[in-house]
Amino acid sequence: MVFVISLTIRATGDHRVPPFDDLYHLKRIEFSAAHFPRVLELDPDRGERGAFCPWPPLYDLALAPFAKVIWIPPLFFAAFAAAVTAMLRPFGLLAAATGGLTLALSPYLIGASSVGHIDHHYVEPLLLLLIVVTAARRNGLLLALAITLALFIQTAMIVAAALAFLVMLDHPREGAKAFAIPALAIVVYSLTLPSSYPASPWFLGLPHAALLCGAAIACAARSCASRWTALAAGTTVALAFAPTATALLAGLHFFGRDPWLSSIIEFQPMFRDVSQIGTDIANLTGGALLVPLLWRKQRTFTIFSIAYLLLAISSRRFLVPAIALFAIGGALAAAYAHRRALAIAAMTVTLLPPVIYDVYAARIPEPSNDEFRVIGERMRALPRGRVLGPWSFGHAIDVIGQKPVIIDNFGSMPDERVFTQAIEAMLATRESSLLDYCRSRGVRYLVLPHPAYIPATAATIGIDRELYSRTRLARRTVWSRLYRGEKIAGFALVNRAALSIWKIE
């Protein structure tokens, strides 16, 4: 039943691949299908002279054999929800129904795993649960496999590996295995990459291996030393690799210090927008409130759940895997309730928020992303040439339009310098500055939306958007002047629309 409900909900709606990160996954999947077992790492159509993809290779490589890739997310997640239901069945029918239906009906999970939504997020709940379960069982080998699998799909799962380290520190032999194996796997993978591959928290590589190696050393040292001594030994080993400290500091930008990330809803804190509070509550479900009640009986599960609750509140980016913990937490709370009335109350508190939201949301039309697809189709009809435009349209221009782009939906992740310089060029008030930038980097086309986008664009590199809203600075930009119809030497209008295209002469 849970499988059917989950699949039915996710099979409706627009079956096209969304014109965002999903599109770039499609590009990588098609590349791997044609060049198996290679994965598109260094893409010549991104950046000034090519750029590496910040995603690890395993997800796109695994989907390469599937022709109907758009159906993988709903089928995968329906099977996952059904499997969780079956795993909870020994705790009682009420607990199984609570966990399975909450997973099936949680709005954020529906959005991440509907047909066509091939971004890797829908896999994260399974990856997190594999780490939680194997850590709870203190099985070093299985935990090592779970961490390796998770990191080769999504580097943000290093947070789950860190929580597993807290659990495994006092289990020296199993803990050492759990972190040494994925560290070795990443080192081997790094040997296949060119020396120009970035040492960054966004890119799976030696900094991640150094952290895992430090964790393995700390666990091994715990067999003959105090906890603090073991931690000191592990930290020393991890930081001995110089780029690790730099990568750690850069990784802190993930929690609100990066202007580009702060401009994206996915990376913003929960409950920040008053209009979204109802949605945030529905996504957390009542299970988030019930998880602390499991401290005595499910200590490891509770540690992960509380940590991911705090992470999700700080950034919605952690919400997708966190919801699975809250759904299961509510189910276990119902199972451990001493009275049937309390069990029903736990089920109601867990399941009711997403149900209410789904009934309400069914009346709201889905937002259209046609403007992204339209600009892609218009760019495809033009001769080949590199494009400078808003980063949010980058994947549509690259994949649909089949034109190389300077910046895209990866924002500042591949190269902060390239991203910042591109935005600064778009905000230039002197036409010579913009023309020099474009000509020096081989840019042939300039794509610009309505000037109302200018303040938000400025904010992505840390410029106060109010500066552009309250002054005439935005009106003086070449962007605004071109859009208002001013004829400027060096820029030839190709197409005027909501997103206008100019050719650099």
Side-chain angles (χ1 to χ4, degrees):
M1 181 184 71
V2 168
F3 179 88
V4 173
I5 292 173
S6 181
L7 182 59
T8 301
I9 292 173
R10 288 159 173 79
T12 58
D14 193 345
H15 286 199
R16 294 176 297 179
V17 175
F20 307 114
D21 284 355
D22 311 75
L23 265 186
Y24 199 76
H25 273 298
L26 182 63
K27 180 179 181 178
R28 290 233 297 178
I29 291 166
E30 290 178 345
F31 179 92
S32 292
H35 304 88
F36 195 86
R38 290 179 56 200
V39 179
L40 183 60
E41 296 281 9
L42 179 59
D43 188 343
D45 288 343
R46 296 181 50 244
E48 295 178 352
R49 295 174 182 82
F52 286 96
C53 177
W55 295 328
L58 186 55
Y59 174 79
D60 296 312
L61 190 64
L63 264 60
F66 298 96
K68 298 293 185 180
V69 68
I70 63 169
W71 283 101
I72 297 298
L75 287 169
F76 179 95
F77 202 87
F80 169 70
V84 170
T85 304
M87 291 176 62
L88 289 171
R89 188 61 183 86
F91 293 93
L93 182 60
L94 191 65
T98 301
L101 291 175
T102 303
L103 288 174
L105 300 174
S106 292
Y108 220 57
L109 296 182
I110 293 174
S113 57
S114 293
V115 61
H117 289 249
I118 59 173
D119 199 358
H120 54 251
H121 297 312
Y122 69 92
V123 183
E124 292 176 5
L126 172 63
L127 300 177
L128 179 57
L129 286 180
L130 288 175
I131 292 175
V132 173
V133 170
T134 52
R137 294 181 176 179
R138 310 298 191 266
N139 189 312
L141 180 59
L142 292 181
L143 178 56
L145 295 176
I147 292 174
T148 304
L149 178 67
L151 289 178
F152 273 85
I153 291 177
Q154 172 54 269
T155 52
M157 297 304 294
I158 192 71
V159 175
L163 293 172
F165 168 69
L166 297 179
V167 173
M168 300 297 292
L169 180 58
D170 291 329
H171 301 271
R173 180 178 298 179
E174 297 303 313
K177 286 190 294 186
F179 302 104
I181 292 173
L184 179 61
I186 295 173
V187 169
V188 172
Y189 168 66
S190 298
L191 295 176
T192 68
L193 299 170
S195 58
S196 57
Y197 188 77
S200 160
W202 304 106
F203 294 81
L204 183 66
L206 294 180
H208 300 86
L211 289 174
L212 292 167
C213 184
I217 294 297
C219 289
R222 186 69 181 93
S223 61
C224 59
S226 68
R227 180 173 295 184
W228 290 110
T229 302
L231 287 172
T235 302
T236 301
V237 170
L239 297 182
F241 180 67
T244 305
T246 304
L248 280 173
L249 292 174
L252 294 177
H253 290 186
F254 198 89
F255 299 95
R257 296 176 56 192
D258 186 284
W260 170 68
L261 290 178
S262 299
S263 69
I264 305 173
I265 294 178
E266 178 186 344
F267 291 91
Q268 293 174 359
M270 299 183 68
F271 306 110
R272 177 179 180 178
D273 185 349
V274 176
S275 65
Q276 296 293 319
I277 289 179
T279 307
D280 290 337
I281 292 174
N283 282 319
L284 286 178
T285 79
L289 300 176
L290 299 174
V291 160
L293 302 177
L294 306 175
W295 180 258
R296 291 185 177 180
K297 294 187 176 182
Q298 297 286 345
R299 184 69 55 87
T300 299
F301 181 87
T302 307
I303 290 173
F304 275 85
S305 299
I306 293 175
Y308 264 83
L309 173 60
L310 298 175
L311 290 168
I313 291 174
S314 71
S315 172
R316 288 189 180 90
R317 175 60 188 82
F318 295 99
L319 188 55
V320 168
I323 291 172
L325 297 180
F326 306 148
I328 296 172
L332 293 176
Y336 294 143
H338 297 295
R339 297 180 183 178
R340 187 168 184 81
L342 292 176
I344 295 174
M347 178 183 184
T348 303
V349 167
T350 302
L351 190 53
L352 196 58
V355 171
I356 293 175
Y357 177 86
D358 288 342
V359 172
Y360 166 75
R363 306 175 185 176
I364 303 175
E366 293 185 3
S368 173
N369 295 315
D370 287 342
E371 65 271 24
F372 292 88
R373 297 187 177 92
V374 167
I375 192 62
E377 294 294 343
R378 285 163 55 199
M379 293 304 305
R380 178 183 288 186
L382 297 175
R384 178 90 173 166
R386 196 168 294 273
V387 181
L388 174 63
W391 62 264
S392 57
F393 292 86
H395 288 336
I397 294 172
D398 175 17
V399 183
I400 299 176
Q402 299 179 359
K403 297 291 185 296
V405 292
I406 292 289
I407 53 176
D408 55 22
N409 302 62
F410 290 123
S412 59
M413 286 192 292
D415 192 322
E416 187 174 351
R417 176 191 58 83
V418 170
F419 181 77
T420 300
Q421 290 178 354
I423 297 298
E424 288 175 344
M426 293 177 67
L427 298 175
T429 56
R430 296 173 56 188
E431 53 267 31
S432 60
S433 297
L434 180 53
L435 281 173
D436 289 345
Y437 172 89
C438 291
R439 289 167 178 165
S440 65
R441 290 160 175 80
V443 173
R444 188 175 186 182
Y445 300 106
L446 185 65
V447 174
L448 299 175
H450 191 277
Y453 279 80
I454 292 177
T457 301
T460 61
I461 57 171
I463 298 176
D464 186 359
R465 62 190 304 164
E466 293 298 322
L467 177 67
Y468 279 88
S469 301
R470 294 179 300 182
T471 69
R472 296 181 180 180
L473 188 57
R475 292 187 178 184
R476 298 205 306 269
T477 60
V478 179
W479 175 345
S480 181
R481 289 159 55 198
L482 285 171
Y483 208 93
R484 293 199 311 265
E486 182 178 336
K487 303 294 184 181
I488 303 177
F491 300 91
L493 181 64
V494 176
N495 188 299
R496 181 176 293 282
L499 271 88
S500 298
I501 305 171
W502 282 266
K503 182 181 177 182
I504 306 299
E505 295 181 329

